[in-house]
Amino acid sequence: MKTKIAVLVSGGGTNLQALIDAQGKTLLSGEIVLVVSNNPGAYALERAKKAGIETAVVTKKEWGSQAAFEAKLKEILTDHGIQLIILAGFMTILSAEFTSCYPRRILNIHPSLIPSFCGEGFYGLRVHQAALAYGVKVTGATVHFVNEIPDGGEIIAQKAVYIQPGDTPEILQRRVMEQAEWVLLPQAAEQVSAELCGAGV
Ligand code: GRF
């Protein structure tokens, strides 16, 4: 049986696309059966629909509180028999109550080499702005398990990317995506989903 995967998104969904492409090339032994967005306008939803993947939208605005939002999310994930959750640009911090329900079953991609430039407040372009402001010469991306500490779960894989003269946050963000995120996330998803398959989960 293939591991049933849900991908949680909020934005453009290029990392989701990398996962869909990997699945198309049969590089993913799991199957993406659901894409959930907390943003009804996320282009990631279009990518999912084009790939024939079921979508759902769950917003905090609609559910009123973090607890109610997470309860709805859990209900949808349970209804679909989800075994592995991948956060691919999901712009919401999940509570300990939620993450503790899925130990080593939630992956996240972060656009830096953790423990640098990570944790609360480090998202989107801010991560790359901080890396350039510090003056590091190497940055990259990290895939990690998600626990109650933002960007604090066990590291699964990392890939380095060199900073180049003249880099802006936007240029660096694009290079980190192309050279690291879109390669690393499908590989890590495959590693974990194959492990779950092997363990008969
Ligand atoms: C990526 O940089 C990812 O590392 C971060 O959010 C961004 C999402 O981009 N967590 P996309 O929606 O996958 O294009």
Side-chain angles (χ1 to χ4, degrees):
M1 273 280 277
K2 287 186 173 181
T3 303
K4 287 189 176 182
I5 300 172
V7 184
L8 274 51
V9 296
S10 301
T14 61
N15 281 286
L16 167 67
Q17 192 65 54
L19 291 165
I20 292 171
D21 293 348
Q23 180 167 274
K25 291 181 198 152
T26 64
L27 295 174
L28 200 58
S29 55
E31 186 182 356
I32 306 166
V33 296
L34 179 68
V35 170
V36 186
S37 177
N38 66 341
N39 166 16
Y43 184 67
L45 290 167
E46 301 308 315
R47 295 180 189 270
K49 284 174 196 158
K50 270 185 208 154
I53 301 167
E54 192 178 333
T55 61
V57 174
V58 186
T59 67
K60 256 187 241 179
K61 201 174 162 196
E62 182 188 4
W63 291 93
S65 68
Q66 181 75 17
F69 165 76
E70 289 183 351
K72 183 64 192 172
L73 199 53
K74 252 179 85 175
E75 183 189 308
I76 293 175
L77 296 170
T78 306
D79 285 351
H80 286 80
I82 299 302
Q83 296 156 303
L84 180 64
I85 300 164
I86 301 178
L87 309 184
F90 187 59
M91 304 297 260
T92 285
I93 293 177
L94 294 164
S95 73
E97 285 70 37
F98 185 92
T99 59
S100 63
C101 296
Y102 303 96
R104 297 174 72 86
R105 297 283 189 282
I106 312 177
L107 309 189
N108 181 47
I109 176 106
H110 182 77
S112 76
L113 294 175
I114 290 175
S116 292
F117 315 117
C118 65
E120 260 188 273
F122 284 100
Y123 58 86
L125 274 180
R126 290 174 184 219
V127 178
H128 306 291
Q129 272 158 359
L132 290 175
Y134 197 96
V136 293
K137 302 298 176 204
V138 181
T139 184
T142 302
V143 179
H144 61 92
F145 285 116
V146 174
N147 64 9
E148 69 286 0
I149 303 159
D151 298 325
E154 183 186 325
I155 290 172
I156 300 164
Q158 292 186 301
K159 194 164 191 297
V161 173
Y162 284 100
I163 307 254
Q164 288 177 11
D167 270 354
T168 62
E170 290 80 5
I171 292 171
L172 184 57
Q173 180 181 50
R174 181 77 192 178
R175 188 179 317 114
V176 168
M177 283 180 156
E178 284 176 357
Q179 294 186 5
E181 295 185 45
W182 300 339
V183 181
L184 205 60
L185 186 58
Q187 282 175 358
E190 170 52 16
Q191 183 188 320
V192 175
S193 94
E195 276 168 20
L196 291 175
C197 263
V201 174

